[in-house]
Amino acid sequence: KKSQLAMGLDLKGGMSVLLQVDLRDFLKSLAGNTTDPLFQQALDKASEAQKTQQTDYITLFANAWKEVSGGKTMASVFARNETLKGKINFDSPDAAVVQTIREMADGTVDETFKRLKQRIDKLGVVQPNVSLDATRDLIMVELPGIDNPQRARTMLQKSAKLEFWETYRFGDEGINQALIAADNKLRAIVSGDSSALQAQTVRDTFYEFPIGANGQPDTTQAKIMKDSLRTVTPQQTAGPLLTTLSMAGDNRSVVIGYADKNKMESISNHLNRPEVRPLFPVDLVWLWSRKPVGEAEGITGSAAGKYELYAIKKFRNQDKPRLDGAVVVQASEQPDPTSGEITVSLGMNNEGARIWAEMTRQAYEGGNREIAIVLDDEVVSAPRVINPIEGGNSSITGGFSLDEAKDLASILEVGKLPAGTRIVQESQVGPSLGADNINKSLIALILSVALLCAFMIAYYAKGGIVSVIALLANIFFIIGTLASLGTVLTLPGIAGIVLTLAAAVDANVIIYERIREEIRHGITGAKAVVTGFSKGLPAIIDANLTTLLTALVLVYFGLGPIKGFGIVLTVGIFSSMFTAILVGRLLTDWWIERGTNMTYSHPWSEHWLVGVNVDWIGKRKIAYLISGVIIALGIASFAMRGFELGVDFKGGYSFNVQFDRPVELEQIRPSLTEALGGNPIVKAVSTENTYNITTSYLINDQSPDVIDQVTAKLHEGLQKAGIDSKLEDFRNTDGVGTHITSSSQVGPTVADDIRSSSLQATLWGLLAIFLYLLIRFRKWQFSLGAVVALFHDVIITLTFFSLLHGLVPFSLEIDQAIIACILTVIGFSVNDTVIVYDRIREFINTYAGRPKEEVFNLAINTTLSRTLITSGTIIAVVLLLFLFGGGALKGFSFGMLVGMIFGTYSSVFIASALVVDFTKEKVITGQAVEAKPAAAATKVKATAK
């Protein structure tokens, strides 16, 4: 039960998130927050390079520093940090500094990954999947069944940097008057009116009035408490600061002012301008409240709905607070017994309790002053200290809902993340869509298994029964291994299992066709079986190794479901070889030892395709012409029509929206174009009344709630088109009425990464196959012929995607799944080619002295039955996937269909034909090294004759 196979999002529904660990602040911290402009420039260049390169951030920073430093050493920036003493000194070379920083960065990323896993465990999701891509500082998180995406985003991105700070009040240190002076100065700077800056002296006199007998202040007995002069600038009208910021007014208020959310950034920029900053105390830091003022706080009127501005007082003018979240050892959510408000209760360690007692005592003795509780640079609350707090126990209030308080308590117990994270890719799938996907995929899987079993028994008689037992064992081993590895089964993964079963049949076909050949030569019984297995083994290993190379490339370069597809394919290859070669052999030997006569054909299939004599090589020029025409059409289509790039490759947001009634495309397109600004791509998908909407609206926005903003805009556009649906119902992926069934968010950085890694995966896959074939067959003609044939298959497959997109009733987007499809086509196509090559290599020694065209034709004709049976079963299985696998697999299975058809064709007419054209000799010379096997083969043939 603990190792049961976990279902992916596309099968179960839920949320998938790709997080980028942000090491920029980590480097700034290591450098002691230096203001060195060269350091800042190097950081900026590294951040920019990260958008298009797949290298880790530390390497990018090192490269950028080399460009901008002008010979200045990196040690001069980092050696001042006390934490790096003994690791870096001022004489350390740049290479040593980079190595030290990288080691620390790797530790930071790993610790961030571990703490995120702990947080996710507390989220209560069943079978979450969390993995780290350390080479690119990426963390993949899959949360099946999650019903509150915003809650998950908060848990995954919130750093949970908890801090306790002393505060200024509105009337402290002349902050109230400094705000007016700052506003005047800003108004003068903006308007260019220097007269506004002419100062004047004002006397401030403060009086104390004793209370008279009537209980009211006696103004006749005034006593001067403070008399001082100050310089102010006259103010006729409010400037750029005070037109957006409403001042608190009460000198004892810990809140300095109020502002609308869309004005906060502008106000912060004004207050931190170099011309304005000296007007305020040097240890003052401006921070905003986490939430706006609401009715719950009893605030009405102009302040309601606005955010509060606080003036934080740094401890001894240091950036680090006296007390932070590191001292928290226990946190829990609970209602306040007096007000009923949900609070987060904290328990601190001994050191934290001592400092907290000191802080609260000083605040109490200073006139019941406030202490700001800050979370991720936002003020959660700033309670007034009525009594010193001993024992290290406290509580945080902040208008929390129960879920928010529970999540915050969980986060604080785990501790803050060592490095920040940001979402660069996100996908959501509704549970109903997941259930539909798994039902259709299971139908396709069951039909595929039934078809393969029926064919093997119908064609290979008792041998087919053995292969069926091996096939069922293969399924058991694949699923068991995947469960043991903790692999998450996704829709592409099910496709991988189906394709693996078809490949497993191929191994049986190779062996059985060899056994049938031996029987036709007059060898029967156990000897035919032994010879068939031994002669089939090299071809099986060659064919599976080439497919394995492409699977490993997918595992290395793929992300999320595509990596899972590669893992399934890898496991399936090993399992298929094990069951076909060992389990199949064991069952066969057991059957023969019992005295059973093994048969490998029925009367109707015994002589099928035996004695075929077709001049394939002689027709190669016709094939070249056909392929040339298709490729020329493809190149023209690439230039004129291009491709329908998926959101994976171009970045943006993709939504599948299911409508509660039939909707015409032109009904919704104009209003969506207006709402989303630009031209969103709107197209029908295979599911009834469902449209896919792709947009680049706010693609460069990195704010945490950006996907909610885009969803709201999408909803707004549909409402303008007359689609009536509440926003909450529309967002609910398992809702009723018009609603989103699935969505995907891909940032531009990840889109660049996916494009680049997809290209690299394809090129590395082809290179690996070329080198393997070169080593295996020892002739470059074989390697080059195979690789050219593979390029041929890839270009023709892409040609159909370019020519037909928008013309067929299913999506032909180029995305990660299609790249996996192309690599799989490469693997299976070279598999077929290698079988033919193996037979050619064998015949080169057997038929030395004959014309090369004759030998090549003989090899192709001899392996024709295997080629057609294997390709036919794979094509049939892929066709079942296409028909029954659901809309999400339509493009993938269509690409596989095209690729397998042309892959079979190219094995004969391109790969083998090119070897003939690349070989200068007209007559096969043979190889002395292979003399013994060749003689043995001749002897067997003579005996059979």
Side-chain angles (χ1 to χ4, degrees), residues 87-101:
K87 297 178 181 178
I88 296 176
N89 56 53
F90 286 98
D91 297 324
S92 298
D94 283 1
V97 175
V98 171
Q99 184 178 350
T100 301
I101 293 172

Side-chain angles (χ1 to χ4, degrees), residues 106 112 196 201 203 218 269 338 378 524 646 753 776-777 853 857:
D106 289 346
T112 302
T201 302
R203 178 181 295 278
D218 184 358
N269 291 337
T338 307
E378 294 176 338
T524 57
D753 189 5
R776 189 74 178 89
F777 293 98
E853 290 84 357
N857 276 327

Side-chain angles (χ1 to χ4, degrees), residues 10-132:
D10 45 10
L11 299 177
K12 192 172 182 179
M15 182 180 185
S16 168
V17 170
L18 188 65
L19 296 164
Q20 176 77 62
V21 180
D22 191 353
L23 293 176
R24 184 186 175 104
D25 287 339
F26 163 78
L27 283 179
K28 288 169 72 173
S29 175
L30 278 186
N33 293 311
T34 179
T35 56
D36 187 332
L38 292 178
F39 177 75
Q40 188 63 44
Q41 192 179 344
L43 285 179
D44 292 340
K45 283 182 75 70
S47 298
E48 191 62 31
Q50 194 177 34
K51 295 178 182 178
T52 55
Q53 298 184 34
Q54 283 69 57
T55 314
D56 66 279
Y57 191 80
I58 304 303
T59 300
L60 294 174
F61 170 76
N63 295 338
W65 177 263
K66 198 172 182 179
E67 286 181 36
V68 304
S69 62
K72 184 177 179 180
T73 65
M74 204 180 286
S76 62
V77 177
F78 292 99
R80 290 183 175 85
N81 191 335
E82 291 293 323
T83 60
L84 294 174
K85 271 193 173 178
K87 297 178 181 178
I88 296 176
N89 56 53
F90 286 98
D91 297 324
S92 298
D94 283 1
V97 175
V98 171
Q99 184 178 350
T100 301
I101 293 172
R102 181 177 282 112
E103 288 172 0
M104 297 181 71
D106 289 346
T108 298
V109 171
D110 189 56
E111 185 61 28
T112 302
F113 168 67
K114 289 176 181 175
R115 293 201 183 185
L116 266 180
K117 283 191 74 173
Q118 289 178 284
R119 286 188 185 183
I120 291 165
D121 289 341
K122 291 178 177 288
L123 197 56
V125 176
V126 179
Q127 289 185 310
N129 177 37
V130 189
S131 58
L132 171 66

Side-chain angles (χ1 to χ4, degrees), residues 193-407:
D193 180 12
S194 59
S195 64
L197 293 176
Q198 293 176 1
Q200 61 177 339
T201 302
V202 177
R203 178 181 295 278
D204 285 327
T205 307
F206 294 87
Y207 300 91
E208 182 181 37
F209 303 99
I211 303 300
N214 59 358
Q216 299 296 322
D218 184 358
T219 56
T220 61
Q221 303 293 323
K223 179 182 178 184
I224 296 176
M225 296 296 296
K226 183 179 179 183
D227 191 14
S228 62
L229 298 175
R230 61 184 174 86
T231 301
V232 298
T233 303
Q235 179 187 17
Q236 290 83 27
T237 58
L241 178 62
L242 296 185
T243 51
T244 53
L245 177 70
S246 303
M247 292 196 296
D250 181 359
N251 284 348
R252 291 183 60 81
S253 171
V254 72
V255 178
I256 306 301
Y258 304 90
D260 293 321
K261 184 176 183 178
N262 60 347
K263 306 295 184 185
M264 289 161 51
E265 185 178 357
S266 171
I267 292 169
S268 296
N269 291 337
H270 284 320
L271 290 172
N272 290 307
R273 286 187 67 151
E275 303 92 336
V276 170
R277 196 67 190 82
L279 296 172
F280 301 99
V282 69
D283 60 351
L284 183 150
V285 176
W286 301 106
L287 290 180
W288 291 94
S289 62
R290 174 175 168 270
K291 284 187 174 182
V293 176
E295 300 296 333
E297 289 83 358
I299 304 294
T300 58
S302 60
K306 295 180 183 289
Y307 286 78
E308 299 163 314
L309 178 66
Y310 290 87
I312 302 303
K313 185 177 184 179
K314 291 194 289 187
F315 176 64
R316 294 177 182 171
N317 207 22
Q318 294 179 358
D319 291 328
K320 188 178 179 182
R322 289 178 69 182
L323 193 65
D324 61 25
V327 303
V328 175
V329 293
Q330 186 180 2
S332 61
E333 76 289 349
Q334 56 188 22
D336 184 276
T338 307
S339 64
E341 185 181 3
I342 302 295
T343 67
V344 177
S345 297
L346 304 178
M348 303 179 187
N349 60 23
N350 292 336
E351 180 64 13
R354 182 187 64 78
I355 298 172
W356 186 230
E358 284 181 13
M359 287 183 70
T360 53
R361 187 180 300 108
Q362 290 170 6
Y364 167 70
E365 293 172 352
N368 301 115
R369 298 193 61 94
E370 294 81 8
I371 293 178
I373 301 173
V374 178
L375 185 67
D376 292 334
D377 297 325
E378 294 176 338
V379 179
V380 176
S381 61
R384 180 170 295 175
V385 178
I386 301 173
N387 289 300
I389 302 172
E390 307 286 347
N393 294 315
S394 190
S395 62
I396 305 173
T397 59
F400 300 118
S401 67
L402 184 60
D403 278 345
E404 285 176 329
K406 188 180 295 184
D407 290 344

Side-chain angles (χ1 to χ4, degrees), residues 357-640:
E358 284 181 13
M359 287 183 70
T360 53
R361 187 180 300 108
Q362 290 170 6
Y364 167 70
E365 293 172 352
N368 301 115
R369 298 193 61 94
E370 294 81 8
I371 293 178
I373 301 173
V374 178
L375 185 67
D376 292 334
D377 297 325
E378 294 176 338
V379 179
V380 176
S381 61
R384 180 170 295 175
V385 178
I386 301 173
N387 289 300
I389 302 172
E390 307 286 347
N393 294 315
S394 190
S395 62
I396 305 173
T397 59
F400 300 118
S401 67
L402 184 60
D403 278 345
E404 285 176 329
K406 188 180 295 184
D407 290 344
L408 178 56
S410 299
I411 288 171
L412 293 178
E413 273 199 328
V414 171
K416 76 173 183 178
L417 298 180
T421 58
R422 68 176 188 277
I423 293 175
V424 291
Q425 182 180 351
E426 178 185 321
S427 299
Q428 290 182 52
V429 179
S432 58
L433 182 60
D436 183 57
N437 284 339
I438 195 169
N439 289 337
K440 289 179 176 177
S441 300
L442 284 174
I443 290 170
L445 181 61
I446 292 167
L447 287 175
S448 299
V449 172
L451 173 70
L452 293 172
C453 293
F455 172 78
M456 293 301 286
I457 294 172
Y459 191 84
Y460 287 112
K462 291 180 181 177
I465 296 173
V466 171
S467 69
V468 166
I469 296 171
L471 191 69
L472 296 176
N474 191 24
I475 297 173
F476 181 80
F477 291 142
I478 290 172
I479 295 176
T481 304
L482 293 176
S484 299
L485 292 173
T487 306
V488 177
L489 186 64
T490 62
L491 212 50
I494 289 180
I497 291 175
V498 172
L499 291 173
T500 299
L501 297 179
V505 167
D506 175 53
N508 288 118
V509 169
I510 291 172
I511 293 168
Y512 291 172
E513 287 299 311
R514 277 291 190 170
I515 293 173
R516 280 157 58 111
E517 279 185 40
E518 298 305 316
I519 292 172
R520 285 195 293 272
H521 291 160
I523 300 172
T524 57
K527 192 172 182 182
V529 171
V530 171
T531 307
F533 270 91
S534 63
K535 283 191 173 183
L537 185 59
I540 292 171
I541 292 174
D542 283 339
N544 280 281
L545 272 177
T546 49
T547 309
L548 179 64
L549 288 173
T550 59
L552 293 176
V553 166
L554 279 172
V555 172
Y556 183 79
F557 287 101
L559 292 172
I562 303 309
K563 178 173 280 192
F565 174 79
I567 291 171
V568 170
L569 211 54
T570 303
V571 169
I573 289 165
F574 284 109
S575 179
S576 298
M577 291 178 69
F578 174 75
T579 52
I581 296 169
L582 297 178
V583 176
R585 177 67 182 273
L586 179 70
L587 289 169
T588 303
D589 288 348
W590 175 76
W591 213 327
I592 291 173
E593 285 170 5
R594 291 185 62 191
T596 304
N597 181 33
M598 285 296 297
T599 56
Y600 290 93
S601 60
H602 293 286
W604 71 269
S605 63
E606 186 175 355
H607 298 288
W608 190 69
L609 294 176
V610 175
V612 174
N613 186 19
V614 178
D615 183 12
W616 304 102
I617 299 301
K619 296 177 174 61
R620 67 186 185 278
K621 291 183 180 178
I622 299 172
Y624 290 167
L625 180 62
I626 294 170
S627 294
V629 170
I630 297 175
I631 290 171
L633 277 173
I635 292 171
S637 182
F638 299 162
M640 296 172 66

Side-chain angles (χ1 to χ4, degrees), residues 771-803:
L771 292 175
Y772 175 76
L773 294 178
L774 185 62
I775 294 167
R776 189 74 178 89
F777 293 98
R778 303 178 189 176
K779 283 192 174 185
W780 63 267
Q781 290 93 335
F782 285 92
S783 297
L784 188 58
V787 171
V788 171
L790 294 180
F791 268 114
H792 163 277
D793 300 342
V794 170
I795 291 171
I796 288 182
T797 304
L798 291 175
T799 294
F800 278 83
F801 274 83
S802 178
L803 283 172

